Amino acid sequence: MIRALRGAGSDVLTLGLLDVTRSGSIPAKYAPALSSGIRRQAEITQEVAARHGAPHLRLTDHPAGGDPGILSSDLLHLNARGHAIVAAETIRGPAAHRTLSRHA
C-alpha cells in the first residue's frame, strides 16, 4: 500500500501505536504480550516505512501511553482524548521533521 501511494506521488506517514500497557488499565496477565506485540508492530511498520521513503512517527513510548484516561471502556481502543493526542502528535511530528514537504 505504501509503495502504491508513494508511487502515485502521495506523502505517507506511518505511526506506531501507543503502548497503553503502561497505563495500569490492562490486566497484568495480558500486559507483557500486548506490549511486546505493540512494540513489534511499531518496529515492522517503521522498517516498511523506511524501505519506501516514508516517515514514521513512533508513539510507542509517548507519555500518554501511561495515562488510563485515554482508553475507551473496552481497554483496547483510544477514546476521544486519546485520539486527540495522537492527532496532535501526527500534525506536530511531520512539521518538526519537515519530512512531508516534497509537494509543497
Side-chain angles (χ1 to χ4, degrees), residues 1 11 17 28 32 42 50-51 55 60-61 66 71 75 84 89 93 96 100:
M1 180 186 314
D11 285 325
L17 300 174
R51 195 165 47 236
T60 311
D61 295 312
L71 291 171
L75 301 180
E89 292 299 328
L100 298 179

Side-chain angles (χ1 to χ4, degrees), residues 12-95:
V12 176
L13 171 70
T14 64
L15 59 93
L17 300 174
L18 293 167
D19 185 353
V20 297
T21 63
R22 298 178 294 119
S23 71
S25 297
I26 307 301
K29 69 180 185 178
Y30 301 119
L34 180 58
S35 179
S36 177
I38 288 169
R39 291 175 180 286
R40 185 64 186 132
Q41 180 269 345
E43 291 169 6
I44 292 169
T45 305
Q46 186 169 9
E47 290 167 9
V48 171
R51 195 165 47 236
H52 297 288
H56 177 80
L57 183 59
R58 186 171 176 93
L59 296 176
T60 311
D61 295 312
H62 190 283
D67 181 357
I70 67 167
L71 291 171
S72 66
S73 60
D74 68 4
L75 301 180
L76 292 174
H77 298 95
L78 299 179
N79 59 22
R81 182 167 175 265
H83 282 288
I85 292 168
V86 171
E89 292 299 328
T90 300
I91 292 167
R92 194 174 328 185

